[in-house]
Amino acid sequence: MRIGIDVGRATSTAVLVDEAGRVLAEAVVDSAPRTGLCVRRALAALGPLPGPVGAVAVVTDLARRPPRPRPVAVLRIAPGSHAALAPLADWPEAARTALGGLTGVVAGGSAVTGGSLGPLDRDGVAAFAARARDAGVRVFAVCAAGAPARPGPELDAAAVLAAAVPGASLSLSYETGAAGLRERESATAVNAALGGWAEELVADCRAALRSARIAAPLCFARDDGGLVSAEYFARHPVIATAPASGCAARGALARTGLDRAVVVDAGARSVRCLVVRDGEPERSTRLLPGPFGVRLALGAPEIVETDGAEAATVPATVARLRERVPGADVLYTGGRAEAFGAPAGPGEPAAGDREPGTGGPDTRTDPRTTVLTGAGAGARADARSDAARPLTGAAAPYGHRPRLTDAARYAAGADCRIEVEQVISAAGRAELDQSLAAVRDHALSRCVAAGAAPGSVRIESLTHAPVAYLPAGVHRVTVRAAGAPASGGTP
């Protein structure tokens, strides 16, 4: 069995599923300021569990409770450039100020094909470390030119920084971003700034699991699909700052059997619309606003968000998105779906059967499950704890309120997933095949590091294409790997 928990701004949902993905129990409670308390309440509302839990997956957006970024020292390893292209030069002023604005450039790095651009300026790295230490900064983001093809300069610089600043926290760009230097640098700096938020979130959720006596691995949903372990999330939080709508969209498609749709995620405070093709949310190929207002290129789903108070504009947004997928259905997910005239979904009660004033089903005479939602749900959960128990007998495969629990239900059954992007250079077909095999092996190893059970990892997709503006034989390779979360270990 596995548990998925979706922590939203107004409500938090929890779903317990069996090995086949069928819902065994579900709960919806009021959210609290701290994520750990939301997790604790949701688990308590599920009631006694019928057996051991294999994994717990948490879905939550950074925007639910925006953190204060940690001061970060950003080091670029590359030849010098114009001031307009300096580290963080294109960032909003408020974001640069929040991170402290400490940046530096030292010689070294590699060409995009992996050829060396010169030796690493170790003395320059040591001097930058001293500047950061004197400024009280112990968090570093390191980005070297050509790092996806040749990460050695970043690793060497990290060794110098660690020796000069004991206990330093290091984010390296070859582990984080895409091939482009500036895009990768921005993602790495944001990743470093989010480290404190991620560590606090992991500790908070682990404490909630311990209080519920659940000894299962803890995972977090990532923005572009799938899960990563708590340890991987703590090191790479930038990949998991806005997963909620993507998870909800995937959950909505799973329960309807569709593979393409325009999905409307109607939450308590905002409405988010996105296009899904071939079962996956349409990913952006351009820079999108990310944490602290920094524009990032991490392949996150492209989402059109509307303030909840301006819901009248949603039909026009949906119509515009449907033009990109002619003939696609419109699916609704989230607690306010009925406000847009959405019909009752699979397993949902008709409008007349919902508990007055809450929008949820009337569970007062339902012996199988308790679903609590709306204002005061947390208090009702405490008052009626004797009724909060798992489903018994034949459970509805998607629960009794599927739109409310789409994101949690998806997370409960999702695999761990990673994506690796590299630029490789090969003189001929034999060398290309060898290089592709190496990238595949690297992706499988990264997937295990992200929490997947070694025996379950597999390649989901591999694409490669020549880079038109570079010499013949240079290819951009993207590999996605996935595997079931490993059972056992530290919760």
Side-chain angles (χ1 to χ4, degrees):
M1 295 186 303
R2 288 163 62 177
I3 296 174
I5 302 173
D6 175 23
V7 179
R9 294 183 180 182
T11 58
S12 296
T13 65
V15 174
L16 174 70
V17 302
D18 63 15
E19 291 76 6
R22 292 185 297 262
V23 175
L24 301 178
E26 58 185 2
V28 184
V29 299
D30 285 341
S31 288
R34 292 192 67 89
T35 302
L37 182 54
C38 297
V39 172
R40 193 169 302 174
R41 286 179 177 177
L43 291 172
L46 281 179
L49 303 175
V53 175
V56 177
V58 174
V59 182
T60 190
D61 284 354
L62 177 79
R64 195 187 84 86
R65 195 181 181 194
R68 177 177 297 177
R70 298 192 296 187
V72 177
V74 181
L75 177 65
R76 179 187 292 179
I77 305 170
S81 62
H82 190 277
L85 301 176
L88 313 189
D90 58 345
W91 277 34
E93 181 62 32
R96 284 201 304 271
T97 301
L99 264 67
L102 181 59
T103 65
V105 180
V106 300
S110 309
V112 70
T113 57
S116 175
L117 295 176
L120 174 67
D121 181 2
R122 294 175 179 271
D123 291 340
V125 176
F128 182 74
R131 282 175 55 203
R133 185 182 60 234
D134 293 345
V137 179
R138 307 176 66 85
V139 180
F140 294 87
V142 182
C143 182
R150 185 169 169 264
E154 288 190 355
L155 295 170
D156 291 344
V160 175
L161 294 171
V165 185
S169 175
L170 302 166
S171 286
L172 308 183
S173 79
Y174 84 95
E175 298 179 312
T176 303
L181 173 65
R182 298 182 74 198
E183 293 85 353
R184 190 161 27 89
E185 183 175 73
S186 288
T188 307
V190 171
N191 188 72
L194 292 174
W197 166 73
E199 291 168 1
E200 181 181 348
L201 184 58
V202 168
D204 220 12
C205 291
R206 280 181 166 159
L209 295 190
R210 286 195 297 269
S211 70
R213 300 183 182 275
I214 295 176
L218 173 64
C219 299
F220 289 85
R222 52 181 296 159
D223 297 352
D224 58 356
L227 309 174
V228 293
S229 68
E231 294 80 8
Y232 195 90
F233 167 72
R235 184 164 177 77
H236 306 284
V238 73
I239 66 173
T241 62
S245 289
C247 288
R250 291 180 175 90
L253 261 73
R255 66 176 161 84
T256 58
L258 299 175
D259 67 351
R260 64 174 187 159
V262 173
V263 178
V264 179
D265 180 13
R269 301 182 186 177
S270 66
V271 180
R272 299 171 180 175
C273 303
L274 59 161
V275 172
V276 182
R277 301 175 189 267
D278 299 323
E280 289 289 326
E282 194 173 76
R283 301 172 70 186
S284 175
T285 57
R286 58 189 178 87
L287 295 172
L288 293 178
F292 319 123
V294 177
R295 300 181 71 81
L296 300 176
L298 292 173
E302 186 153 6
I303 296 172
V304 180
E305 184 168 4
T306 303
D307 187 277
E310 302 173 0
T313 64
V314 172
T317 299
V318 170
R320 188 170 67 252
L321 293 178
R322 289 190 76 185
E323 293 176 357
R324 288 158 46 180
V325 279
D329 289 296
V330 179
L331 294 182
Y332 296 88
T333 185
R336 294 180 58 228
E338 290 85 357
F340 298 93
E348 289 193 304
D353 296 331
R354 296 181 187 124
E355 188 175 353
T358 67
D362 186 350
T363 60
R364 290 170 292 184
T365 60
D366 186 348
R368 296 175 298 173
T369 184
T370 296
V371 181
L372 303 171
T373 184
R380 293 200 304 279
D382 294 337
R384 291 159 51 188
S385 59
D386 61 327
R389 55 182 177 272
L391 296 169
T392 58
Y398 301 114
H400 297 293
R401 288 288 283 161
R403 287 198 181 104
L404 276 173
T405 58
D406 275 334
R409 191 178 60 256
Y410 164 77
D415 284 339
C416 292
R417 179 184 289 175
I418 62 90
E419 181 171 297
V420 172
E421 182 178 321
Q422 288 190 9
V423 175
I424 61 176
S425 179
R429 185 70 209 188
E431 188 175 350
L432 175 61
D433 289 343
Q434 186 177 26
S435 297
L436 292 176
V439 179
R440 281 195 296 265
D441 290 344
H442 176 57
L444 294 172
S445 297
R446 284 284 295 273
C447 194
V448 172
S456 71
V457 292
R458 64 194 183 279
I459 299 297
E460 284 192 323
S461 65
L462 185 153
T463 60
H464 67 93
V467 182
Y469 54 86
L470 292 174
V474 179
H475 295 255
R476 187 187 302 273
V477 184
T478 303
V479 183
R480 299 189 84 178
S487 299
T490 304

